Amino acid sequence: MAELRDDMTPFEAVTYFFDTVADVVEMDPATRAVLAGTYREIRVQIPLRRDDGSVETVYGYRVQHNGARGPYKGGVRYHPSASLDETRALAALMTWKTALVDVPFGGAKGGIQVDPTTLSKPELERLTRRFMSQVSYIVGPHRDIMAPDVNTNAQTMAWMMDAYGQRAGHTPAVVTGKPVELGGSLGRDAATGRGVVIVLDEVIRDAGQSPGDLTMAIQGFGNVGSWTARLAAESGYRVVAVSDVKGGTFSERGLDVEQLIGHQRQTGSVVEFPGAEPLDNAALLELDVDVLVPAALGEVITSANADRIRARTVVEAANHPVTPAASQTLGERGVTVVPDILANAGGVTVSYFEWTQNIQQFSWDEQRVNGELARHMTTAYRKVRDYAQGSGCDLRHAAFAIAVQRVANAAHLRGYV
Ligand code: NAD
């Protein structure tokens, strides 16, 4: 039975969302045990040779949650707080996300517990190659496919592809989010942010609103946050605040996102953007805006601040930014929360397009990628909305209900459980 506690770990929190659905659909205990747990978890030791010749030992994780619907799929993050529990949580979210947007993958995630800002480029390359070679026995284009996440990018994927290729021969489909020159897909870089804006547009249209009337604050200005800002501004939203790990920047009139991206490129951060006011990360979350987009790390909206969130719509561009207790508080206060497994699924959707292009050795133009992305995201959103309206539940519950039942069906059809 689902039991709500304030002190849940990330994996307990994601399992709670699963359990609430399993309770409602009266899932049989055997299926429930299979879907609640992870299939395979590995921790690898990575001796990292620093440029000065010293060796530091760090640890990496890969968790494969469920493969009933296809090969395991999920990103790899480099972060000091990466842990087995967090990786499990993120892997489970990938299972539900791929099922919800109906791409033929299972769910996985990886992480290396390291602060990449302290590493040089050659050190990052050695770390990445060593990690890939140590997990290469369980990955592959039809087994488990990696992708970028926090603090990893197209360059990281290029090194991973190369390291895997040294063992298995040229295999671009073993990772997605690669540079376009190496078989990456046009549109993959922008895909997660584009998906966020596609779903948000649908949500606000259903609420009878239009982008030009709405203000937005975005926490995080990396791949997801900066693309969300750029595409939201193009759609007409007034982006009044953004932040990164160093702090935030605010302008009541709206930030010029293109100029801000230039400023970030030059200085390494969004702080001290000329003509705007400074803002800290906690204050950004509580700003009086219409739409709040957490696009950085997990668990930033908790029972400690859920009462003070003033936005009427929260779009979970990050994974697991809202704890279960906070999600309940926001729901009781009438705030619409667009869940992560829907809001940020654009990334894995275009990763699926990249993987198919690699396997077919045929590339799509960007228009086709963006058109197919919009179709997948809109279909998924409308199914979630209709389910929520039909059963009187919130969007998260509806999204989990659809996803969980798809995965359970696949597991039954295969005879897995
Ligand atoms: P990224 O490394 O490109 O960017 C992360 C951003 O968050 C940076 O601007 C960083 O400065 C900021 N940040 C880090 N710590 C912060 C803090 N304590 N306070 C405020 N800002 C902080 O990572 P990304 O790929 O943009 O991923 C962001 C989130 O989106 C993650 O939760 C990730 O799991 C999720 N996500 C990413 C993708 C993808 O395609 N990259 C897809 C789905 C979900």
Side-chain angles (χ1 to χ4, degrees):
M1 287 289 280
E3 187 207 345
L4 185 60
R5 296 193 336 268
D6 233 1
D7 60 344
M8 292 174 171
T9 68
F11 186 54
E12 285 172 343
V14 174
T15 306
Y16 168 82
F17 293 134
F18 162 77
D19 276 338
T20 55
V21 165
D23 287 346
V24 172
V25 302
E26 296 179 354
M27 186 176 283
D28 68 274
T31 308
R32 191 172 179 135
V34 164
L35 299 192
T38 60
Y39 169 66
R40 175 154 53 189
E41 307 180 338
I42 62 169
R43 188 191 76 148
V44 291
Q45 187 184 60
I46 311 170
L48 168 64
R49 188 165 297 280
R50 304 294 301 257
D51 293 340
D52 65 6
S54 64
V55 175
E56 210 170 287
T57 305
V58 301
Y59 288 91
Y61 308 96
R62 185 72 181 170
V63 173
Q64 298 172 336
H65 175 259
N66 187 286
R69 300 183 72 261
Y72 300 96
K73 181 84 189 81
V76 181
R77 68 170 55 172
Y78 293 177
H79 199 274
S81 70
S83 67
L84 188 53
D85 184 87
E86 182 193 67
T87 311
R88 277 183 191 134
L90 296 167
L93 285 176
M94 288 304 297
T95 299
W96 311 132
K97 193 180 302 182
T98 52
L100 182 63
V101 285
D102 205 8
V103 295
F105 289 134
K109 200 79 180 192
I112 301 181
Q113 194 178 67
V114 69
D115 181 357
T117 62
T118 63
L119 303 181
S120 68
K121 196 171 174 191
E123 289 168 342
L124 278 172
E125 178 173 353
R126 288 196 287 276
L127 175 77
T128 302
R129 287 179 178 282
R130 186 55 84 96
F131 176 68
M132 178 45 114
S133 104
Q134 275 152 334
V135 299
S136 61
Y137 304 96
I138 59 156
V139 304
H142 299 288
R143 292 181 184 278
D144 185 351
I145 303 133
M146 309 234 193
D149 193 72
V150 175
N151 291 326
T152 54
N153 55 28
Q155 176 62 75
T156 323
M157 295 305 112
W159 290 327
M160 283 193 181
M161 181 193 91
D162 191 69
Y164 185 83
Q166 285 177 340
R167 182 184 295 270
H170 183 58
T171 318
V174 71
V175 291
T176 58
K178 299 177 290 293
V180 172
E181 299 89 320
L182 294 178
S185 178
L186 293 169
R188 172 61 183 89
D189 203 33
T192 308
R194 189 176 296 282
V196 168
V197 177
I198 291 168
V199 172
L200 175 62
D201 280 346
E202 290 277 319
V203 170
I204 64 142
R205 190 177 313 124
D206 282 346
Q209 298 171 312
S210 63
D213 301 329
L214 301 176
T215 54
M216 179 185 285
I218 304 173
Q219 182 186 57
F221 206 66
N223 171 282
V224 179
S226 65
W227 275 109
T228 300
R230 178 182 272 179
L231 296 168
E234 270 177 26
S235 284
Y237 299 88
R238 181 149 51 99
V239 180
V240 296
V242 304
S243 67
D244 60 29
V245 69
K246 295 184 181 156
T249 187
F250 170 79
S251 165
E252 184 68 51
R253 292 189 315 277
L255 298 159
D256 182 323
V257 176
E258 291 304 324
Q259 276 185 19
L260 182 59
I261 288 171
H263 171 79
Q264 184 209 32
R265 256 189 218 124
Q266 265 180 355
T267 66
S269 172
V270 298
V271 300
E272 292 175 13
F273 181 49
E277 296 164 38
L279 180 78
D280 69 51
N281 262 298
L284 178 139
L285 295 172
E286 297 170 19
L287 274 181
D288 188 9
V289 288
D290 298 300
V291 181
L292 175 64
V293 185
L297 298 178
E299 299 188 348
V300 293
I301 302 178
T302 66
S303 29
N305 62 357
D307 270 337
R308 298 197 300 273
I309 303 299
R310 285 189 278 178
R312 302 310 296 162
T313 306
V314 173
V315 188
E316 295 185 343
N319 281 309
H320 186 45
V322 179
T323 64
S327 195
Q328 183 160 316
T329 304
L330 293 174
E332 285 162 3
R333 294 183 46 225
V335 177
T336 300
V337 179
V338 186
D340 44 12
I341 61 169
L342 173 63
N344 70 34
V348 75
T349 302
V350 175
S351 276
Y352 163 56
F353 302 156
E354 179 174 333
W355 180 79
T356 50
Q357 290 171 73
N358 293 155
I359 284 174
Q360 295 175 353
Q361 301 195 351
F362 180 80
S363 34
W364 301 1
D365 63 26
E366 195 165 351
Q367 205 184 358
R368 179 170 176 195
V369 171
N370 291 345
E372 288 286 329
L373 171 64
R375 195 171 63 78
H376 271 74
M377 297 303 293
T378 309
T379 304
Y381 165 71
R382 291 180 185 167
K383 282 210 155 70
V384 170
R385 175 200 60 193
D386 293 350
Y387 188 105
Q389 281 171 358
S391 60
C393 65
D394 63 15
L395 295 177
R396 189 188 315 277
H397 186 95
F400 269 76
I402 294 167
V404 164
Q405 290 180 83
R406 283 184 181 161
V407 177
N409 279 343
H412 290 152
L413 285 167
R414 292 168 74 121
Y416 191 69
V417 65

